[in-house]
Each structure stands twice: as C-alpha cells, then as structure tokens.
Amino acid sequence: MKSKKLLSLAAAVFATACAAPVLLVQAPHEVTLSDNVSGDSHGFWKLRPDGVLSIEVDSVANGCVLQDFLIRSLDKTSESRQSTFSVQQPDHNDGRRAAANILTQAQKLTVEARYVHTVLVSSGTKTEPPRPAAKAGSGDDIVGPDTLVNDYHFDHADFSYTSEGPGGASAYVASESSKFGSSGHITVRWYYNEDSFVHYKWSIYATGPCDSSPF
C-alpha cells in the first residue's frame, strides 16, 4: 500500500511539473523599442510565459501605417560579438493595434517599428499642342521624378484630361513606373487633329518611410 501511495505522489508531482509554464529562452538583458514616428507608436514589450518576446504598437501613427519590424540582435560571447538584422511582418494587425512575436536568445535586442506613408511627388497640367496646328499630331510626355530615394517607391498616379476643338483629341497613361521601383514617372500618350487641343493633368504618389523624404 505504501508503494502505491509513493507512485501516486510521484505521478502527481510529474503532472504538476508538466502543467507549469516552461521558459524556452531567457529574457534578453536589454530590449530597446523604437519607431520612426517620433515615439508616437505607443509601443511596449513583454516576455510571455513560453519565452516569446511580444512587441505591440499602434497600427496607425501620425497618419502613417505600420509596415514591419526591423530587429537588431547582438549576440555576445567570450569569443565573438556579432550583430544580426532581420525584418518581421506583424503576426497580428487589426487596424488599431499590431503585434509581433519574436523568439530570440540574443542578450541585447533592438526592435524598430517601421511606418510608411504615401506622399505626392509630382503634379501638373499640360496642353498639347501648345499652339494651334494645321494638321493632326501625336506624341509622348514623361512626367514625374526619375529617381526616388530613401526606400520610396512609386505607388499610383491620378490622371484626367479634357479636349477642345472640332477635330477631337485625347490623352492616356501609356506606361508607369514599377510598383516597387525607385522611379516615379509616368508616360502620357496624346494625339490631336486639326484645330483641336487636349489638356491633361496628373498627380503622382510614392510610398516610403515616415521619417525621410523621397527626394
């Protein structure tokens, strides 16, 4: 009977140990959380019982939208000191708050919440032909910046036109920069007939980091 009680007690202890949370990793000695919206992400971090580091920030801050998290970890041992970088998408984003879960054994960790916004990079109006013409004509205009910097990329263009005169005229966007390219221009193709004009206007937008300029 005594041996059965000992076995029952051992089983209970074993079950309790299995039910208790077990840390998979130790907490980093130092965690620094930052953003590129002047600290307005209202972010915080915590270490979960399973050893995962949880980062939470606002989904939108200062008119900017969260894109991802840049993670810099510093692993330090007696033999080496190495910094590594990684980019992680939010594991959860409901439009109000966003979170990323990070499993790390780094002693020192820096996490930057990176926000982007969409800005106007070119706008204008033009008339073709610039003066009355005695016969029909056509051509292409390239408008907008050739180069965007600081990780900005072409997002979209708004375009419209009106025509004037008896002969008929038209314009349209024949091509535009790559959605993820560093150019921000579009090509406008136009044509007109005798005594006719086309007036067109454009607005070009690029998306990039909230703490920098596309030029």
Side-chain angles (χ1 to χ4, degrees):
M1 179 67 71
K2 184 176 182 180
S3 61
K4 289 184 178 180
K5 288 183 178 179
L6 289 176
L7 286 174
S8 298
L9 179 61
V13 171
F14 179 75
T16 302
C18 291
V22 178
L23 290 180
L24 302 180
V25 297
Q26 296 299 316
H29 292 170
E30 181 181 344
V31 177
T32 302
L33 180 59
S34 64
D35 59 49
N36 64 342
V37 285
S38 303
D40 288 337
S41 63
H42 301 109
F44 67 86
W45 66 271
K46 63 181 179 181
L47 190 68
R48 298 189 334 201
D50 58 1
V52 175
L53 184 68
S54 180
I55 306 291
E56 187 173 317
V57 297
D58 284 348
S59 301
V60 179
N62 288 345
C64 300
V65 179
L66 179 70
Q67 176 179 255
D68 54 32
F69 296 91
L70 177 63
I71 304 168
R72 298 181 179 92
S73 59
L74 182 63
D75 299 315
K76 182 179 179 182
T77 66
S78 58
E79 299 179 355
S80 67
R81 183 183 181 93
Q82 182 179 5
S83 180
T84 58
F85 301 83
S86 63
V87 175
Q88 183 169 326
Q89 299 295 321
D91 296 298
H92 169 75
N93 192 342
D94 62 6
R96 188 184 66 84
R97 295 287 286 177
N101 299 315
I102 304 168
L103 183 63
T104 179
Q105 294 181 345
Q107 296 184 13
K108 185 177 181 180
L109 199 69
T110 300
V111 181
E112 181 186 5
R114 302 195 298 182
Y115 291 77
V116 296
H117 60 172
T118 301
V119 296
L120 178 69
V121 295
S122 177
S123 64
T125 60
K126 194 171 183 181
T127 298
E128 293 290 352
R131 60 185 60 85
K135 58 181 181 180
S138 63
D140 293 335
D141 291 330
I142 299 177
V143 297
D146 291 330
T147 303
L148 300 169
V149 299
N150 296 325
D151 292 329
Y152 275 80
H153 61 268
F154 174 84
D155 189 88
H156 72 280
D158 294 334
F159 180 83
S160 63
Y161 78 91
T162 59
S163 59
E164 183 179 347
S170 184
Y172 64 94
V173 177
S175 65
E176 59 186 34
S177 296
S178 169
K179 184 73 172 178
F180 301 104
S182 60
S183 297
H185 59 259
I186 63 174
T187 299
V188 179
R189 184 159 298 160
W190 45 265
Y191 72 88
Y192 58 87
N193 293 318
E194 182 180 354
D195 295 328
S196 65
F197 301 85
V198 60
H199 312 283
Y200 68 84
K201 62 180 180 180
W202 72 91
S203 297
I204 300 174
Y205 297 86
T207 298
C210 288
D211 58 344
S212 62
S213 167
F215 304 112

